[in-house]
Amino acid sequence: MQNKQAYVVAVVGATGAVGQQMISTLEKRNFPVKEIRFLSSKRSAGTVLSYNGESVTVQEATPDSFEGVDIALFSAGGSVTKELAHEAVKRGAIVVDNTSAFRMDPEVPLVVPEVNEKDLFEHKGIIANPNCSTIQMVVALEPIRQTIGLKKVIVSTYQAVSGAGVTAIEALKDQAQAFLNNEELAPSVLPVKSGEKHYQIAFNAIPQIDVFTENGYTYEEMKMINETKKIMHLPELEISATCVRLPVISGHSESVYIEVEKEMTVEELQNLLKDAPGIVLQDDPSQQLYPMPFYSIGSNDVFVGRIRKDLDNPLGFHLWVVSDNLLKGAAWNSVQIAERLIALNII
Amino acid sequence: MQNKQAYVVAVVGATGAVGQQMISTLEKRNFPVKEIRFLSSKRSAGTVLSYNGESVTVQEATPDSFEGVDIALFSAGGSVTKELAHEAVKRGAIVVDNTSAFRMDPEVPLVVPEVNEKDLFEHKGIIANPNCSTIQMVVALEPIRQTIGLKKVIVSTYQAVSGAGVTAIEALKDQAQAFLNNEELAPSVLPVKSGEKHYQIAFNAIPQIDVFTENGYTYEEMKMINETKKIMHLPELEISATCVRLPVISGHSESVYIEVEKEMTVEELQNLLKDAPGIVLQDDPSQQLYPMPFYSIGSNDVFVGRIRKDLDNPLGFHLWVVSDNLLKGAAWNSVQIAERLIALNII
């Protein structure tokens, strides 16, 4: 960061799974904070959290909470964003929003710094943080797009429960313990808390994340499809997704098939990704080295491995992409956007 | 079965995860058994199991164990098959082998009855049972191949630990309990017991099943590729696979992308699969109806759902295919082959 200024930062949804990670990420990054405000729903207000060793009481988020705020990191659900983001902007804040509320709004930049930080210059107060499963994929695909072009993507995801919040993490643990005890425990959280039916996630896989759209794809799948096109500025990209929830606490994995425009060897592709920003290459079958979600927890990086040429299409490759969905998929990407706003003198 | 004859049946590997399911499948199907022999390694010999309520002592499998045997169901690992299958054939048995030992042998039929039971007529004593993840996929794909042709397959699997045997099931449960207790437990079974490195499977996903081949694909992935071509008699099929182990006890899931030769609507494809042998269609997003591994346990069927048109390629479809890997993926397919041998008067 080139200037030594410090900022008034608000975290909206401070008690949630992502909010907690936003707070610890701001601490770890020594983010230039002049004053921190933790905001939440009325229900969670009053909770006392710590920031750099000091106690901070969570306050109910209202329009006035944003008076004097420079940067507001939102992760409290789409309805809170829709209610309060413009109020924050009106009071002079730049909003970095981790919900889907404004992601596809043509007036709102949707940003993954490794891919399209230039879009930050177009902001009108709100910047959207993409969906977790989208972020890690575009970090892995952007160096490929730049170098040999990207024509087609088919992705199948293996997503952790923490993407559905703290209650989903507890549900997984409680169900697993009940199963190991030979006890019955009626599921009540996944796939969608407000949905009609709930299924066990412990020792299961649920091929539904978010609700269904009319074309038979889920919203999660359509988010991956539409957000990838917007972030990468590839409206013509052929892309399709199947999103699946797993009994994994944190760390999303993705089996990604791509078709590129020019031939490249696996070794060249490995070298390309090894040197790309935000990526750690873990790809050595002889050492059983490949990314895994359990071992990705706590890292800001996107891990890529299992890179193989398709056996039929000389322009086809298969990749396995893993990242901590609460960090690069959410909290870290939001704080990283805030850091880039400072570094690029946008704020 | 048209004749009322009964047979001397041997189960080789009777104490294993698949062997146990073979025994209960023979019981459930009222298989025409004149005499049953449970065989195993020296280590497990002496174990007393039950068959239709009667105690049967497991005996060490030796060449002489197969004297008088009509049908020998092998599932005790490739080395046992290589050592004893020809000995069994020499003594007059037909061998149905659930290992990979002879699957790609051009002299050995590789059979999924719903797909290629005609190949049973070509047998020379040994019939191979395909890999679990292959079987459920070809059951779902065969009606499509027959009706509108099949050009390309890209599959990502979500495989249960029971495919790696009883020790892997125990490892998953023990690791899950240790994690819930905040205890450390060094992994020692997966991904490959004899491998150099072992990783936790509880709350994780491991993108390695079986060891790696020289092209960067695992043997499991190459099995799916090569066996599918052989079973479906489609040597020119474009097919690629990524195989991943999950913290699921039983039930393999597959995210399958296909390209077909002729256009068809989703509804037509659903109707086609609904009436196809061995398949149960579970595909109604409005009712949150789709297949899941936890709920597939104990069924012989292959469950298909989440059928969607690709959003770019009018000849592309996405499917989600689930089945109990110990049943249709192993024990049931083997017993079903034995039933078809009788029904077709081959034995």
Side-chain angles (χ1 to χ4, degrees):
Chain A
M1 281 153 254
Q2 57 205 91
N3 54 22
K4 289 284 173 200
Q5 213 187 319
Y7 302 88
V8 180
V9 177
V11 177
V12 187
T15 60
V18 173
Q20 294 284 301
Q21 296 293 330
M22 282 175 167
I23 293 168
S24 68
T25 300
L26 289 166
E27 289 175 329
K28 277 186 208 152
R29 298 289 300 180
N30 273 321
F31 195 86
V33 168
K34 186 160 65 186
E35 182 198 331
I36 192 101
R37 294 187 197 167
F38 294 159
L39 306 174
S40 75
S41 64
K42 197 167 189 169
R43 190 170 42 81
S44 299
T47 309
V48 179
L49 300 174
S50 131
Y51 189 75
N52 282 337
E54 312 225 340
S55 293
V56 180
T57 302
V58 178
Q59 298 182 326
E60 185 187 350
T62 67
D64 289 341
S65 310
F66 298 96
E67 288 293 346
V69 167
D70 299 305
I71 300 167
L73 306 176
F74 273 70
S75 188
S79 57
V80 176
T81 290
K82 281 178 189 153
E83 191 191 327
L84 292 174
H86 287 297
E87 297 291 341
V89 172
K90 214 187 286 175
R91 286 165 178 80
I94 292 188
V95 168
V96 182
D97 179 36
N98 190 44
T99 79
S100 62
F102 294 111
R103 283 183 193 148
M104 295 312 295
D105 186 329
E107 299 286 300
V108 172
L110 181 65
V111 176
V112 177
E114 289 85 347
V115 181
N116 64 332
E117 75 169 16
K118 274 189 291 189
D119 292 347
L120 291 173
F121 289 101
E122 311 299 323
H123 89 87
K124 295 181 172 59
I126 300 175
I127 295 149
N129 193 78
N131 191 44
C132 46
S133 49
T134 310
I135 294 175
Q136 66 185 67
M137 185 170 74
V138 297
V139 168
L141 296 184
E142 175 63 11
I144 299 170
R145 183 200 67 77
Q146 281 179 19
T147 312
I148 49 173
L150 188 64
K151 192 173 169 295
K152 187 180 182 72
V153 177
I154 297 173
V155 55
S156 296
T157 72
Y158 301 67
Q159 294 184 232
V161 297
S162 61
V166 172
T167 53
I169 299 173
E170 291 309 317
L172 169 57
K173 289 182 180 174
D174 292 347
Q175 289 171 11
Q177 188 60 68
F179 180 86
L180 293 169
N181 294 348
N182 281 312
E183 292 165 5
E184 293 275 337
L185 184 64
S188 61
V189 178
L190 292 170
V192 176
K193 200 163 183 179
S194 60
E196 286 202 8
K197 290 184 185 158
H198 297 102
Y199 302 116
Q200 174 164 323
I201 184 61
F203 307 106
N204 195 19
I206 304 178
Q208 182 192 350
I209 299 182
D210 209 331
V211 297
F212 283 94
T213 69
E214 284 195 355
N215 64 5
Y217 287 74
T218 60
Y219 271 91
E220 183 82 357
E221 289 158 357
M222 292 312 298
K223 283 178 206 165
M224 287 196 80
I225 292 165
N226 294 325
E227 293 181 15
T228 298
K229 292 179 183 182
K230 177 169 176 176
I231 299 163
M232 300 186 84
H233 296 279
L234 287 176
E236 304 299 324
L237 181 68
E238 296 175 19
I239 171 168
S240 197
T242 300
C243 291
V244 181
R245 188 77 74 188
L246 295 197
V248 165
I249 291 173
S250 274
H252 284 353
S253 308
E254 296 171 347
S255 172
V256 188
Y257 169 73
I258 57 170
E259 286 175 11
V260 296
E261 305 276 4
K262 280 193 287 245
E263 282 205 51
M264 186 178 248
T265 67
V266 166
E267 199 184 355
E268 286 166 340
L269 185 50
Q270 288 169 327
N271 285 330
L272 175 65
L273 294 178
K274 195 175 62 188
D275 298 329
I279 294 176
V280 171
L281 184 77
Q282 292 186 327
D283 194 13
D284 186 351
S286 75
Q287 300 298 311
Q288 295 184 260
L289 180 66
Y290 35 70
M292 286 177 278
F294 187 77
Y295 303 106
S296 77
I297 295 174
S299 170
N300 286 343
D301 296 311
V302 173
F303 299 92
V304 184
R306 298 289 336 265
I307 300 173
R308 289 154 289 152
K309 271 235 170 186
D310 189 70
L311 298 176
D312 301 293
N313 186 336
L315 296 172
F317 287 95
H318 301 267
L319 300 83
W320 176 251
V321 180
V322 175
S323 193
D324 185 333
N325 54 299
L326 295 181
L327 294 178
K328 183 57 184 167
W332 163 233
N333 198 68
S334 288
V335 174
Q336 189 185 16
I337 287 172
E339 286 188 359
R340 298 311 297 159
L341 288 171
I342 298 170
L344 297 168
N345 283 315
I346 295 171
I347 193 168
Chain B
M1 279 152 256
Q2 57 205 90
N3 55 20
K4 289 283 174 200
Q5 211 186 322
Y7 301 87
V8 179
V9 178
V11 177
V12 187
T15 60
V18 173
Q20 294 284 301
Q21 296 292 331
M22 283 175 167
I23 293 168
S24 68
T25 300
L26 290 167
E27 289 175 329
K28 277 186 207 151
R29 298 290 300 181
N30 273 321
F31 195 87
V33 168
K34 186 160 66 186
E35 181 198 331
I36 192 101
R37 295 188 197 165
F38 294 161
L39 306 174
S40 75
S41 64
K42 196 167 190 170
R43 190 170 43 82
S44 298
T47 309
V48 179
L49 300 174
S50 131
Y51 188 76
N52 282 338
E54 311 226 340
S55 293
V56 181
T57 302
V58 178
Q59 298 182 326
E60 185 187 350
T62 66
D64 289 341
S65 310
F66 299 96
E67 288 292 345
V69 167
D70 300 305
I71 300 167
L73 305 175
F74 273 69
S75 189
S79 58
V80 175
T81 291
K82 281 177 189 155
E83 192 190 325
L84 291 174
H86 288 297
E87 298 291 342
V89 172
K90 214 186 288 176
R91 287 165 178 80
I94 291 188
V95 168
V96 181
D97 179 37
N98 190 44
T99 78
S100 63
F102 294 110
R103 284 182 192 149
M104 295 312 296
D105 186 329
E107 299 286 300
V108 173
L110 181 66
V111 176
V112 177
E114 290 86 348
V115 181
N116 63 333
E117 74 169 17
K118 275 189 291 189
D119 292 347
L120 290 173
F121 290 100
E122 311 300 323
H123 88 86
K124 296 181 171 60
I126 299 175
I127 294 149
N129 192 78
N131 191 45
C132 45
S133 49
T134 310
I135 294 175
Q136 66 184 67
M137 185 169 76
V138 298
V139 169
L141 296 183
E142 175 63 10
I144 299 170
R145 183 200 69 75
Q146 281 179 20
T147 312
I148 50 172
L150 188 63
K151 192 174 168 295
K152 187 179 181 71
V153 178
I154 297 173
V155 56
S156 296
T157 72
Y158 301 66
Q159 293 184 231
V161 297
S162 61
V166 172
T167 54
I169 299 173
E170 292 308 318
L172 168 56
K173 289 181 179 174
D174 292 347
Q175 288 170 11
Q177 189 59 70
F179 180 85
L180 293 168
N181 294 348
N182 282 311
E183 292 165 5
E184 294 274 338
L185 184 65
S188 61
V189 177
L190 292 170
V192 176
K193 199 161 190 203
S194 60
E196 285 202 8
K197 290 183 185 160
H198 298 101
Y199 302 117
Q200 174 164 324
I201 184 62
F203 307 105
N204 196 19
I206 304 178
Q208 182 192 351
I209 299 182
D210 209 331
V211 297
F212 283 94
T213 69
E214 284 194 356
N215 65 4
Y217 288 74
T218 59
Y219 270 91
E220 184 81 358
E221 289 158 357
M222 293 311 299
K223 283 178 205 165
M224 287 196 80
I225 292 165
N226 293 325
E227 294 180 15
T228 299
K229 292 179 182 182
K230 178 170 176 176
I231 299 164
M232 300 187 83
H233 295 277
L234 287 177
E236 304 299 323
L237 181 67
E238 296 175 19
I239 172 168
S240 197
T242 299
C243 291
V244 181
R245 187 78 73 188
L246 294 197
V248 166
I249 291 172
S250 273
H252 285 354
S253 309
E254 296 171 347
S255 172
V256 187
Y257 169 74
I258 57 169
E259 286 175 13
V260 296
E261 305 277 3
K262 280 193 287 243
E263 281 205 53
M264 185 177 248
T265 68
V266 166
E267 200 183 356
E268 285 167 339
L269 185 50
Q270 287 170 327
N271 285 331
L272 175 65
L273 294 178
K274 195 175 63 187
D275 298 328
I279 294 176
V280 171
L281 185 76
Q282 292 186 326
D283 193 14
D284 186 352
S286 75
Q287 299 298 311
Q288 295 184 260
L289 179 66
Y290 35 71
M292 286 177 279
F294 187 77
Y295 302 106
S296 77
I297 294 174
S299 169
N300 286 343
D301 295 312
V302 173
F303 300 93
V304 184
R306 296 293 331 269
I307 300 174
R308 289 154 288 153
K309 271 234 171 187
D310 189 71
L311 297 176
D312 301 293
N313 186 337
L315 297 173
F317 287 96
H318 301 267
L319 300 85
W320 177 251
V321 181
V322 175
S323 194
D324 185 332
N325 53 299
L326 295 182
L327 293 178
K328 184 57 184 166
W332 163 232
N333 198 69
S334 289
V335 173
Q336 189 184 16
I337 287 171
E339 287 188 359
R340 298 311 297 159
L341 288 171
I342 297 169
L344 298 167
N345 283 314
I346 294 172
I347 194 169

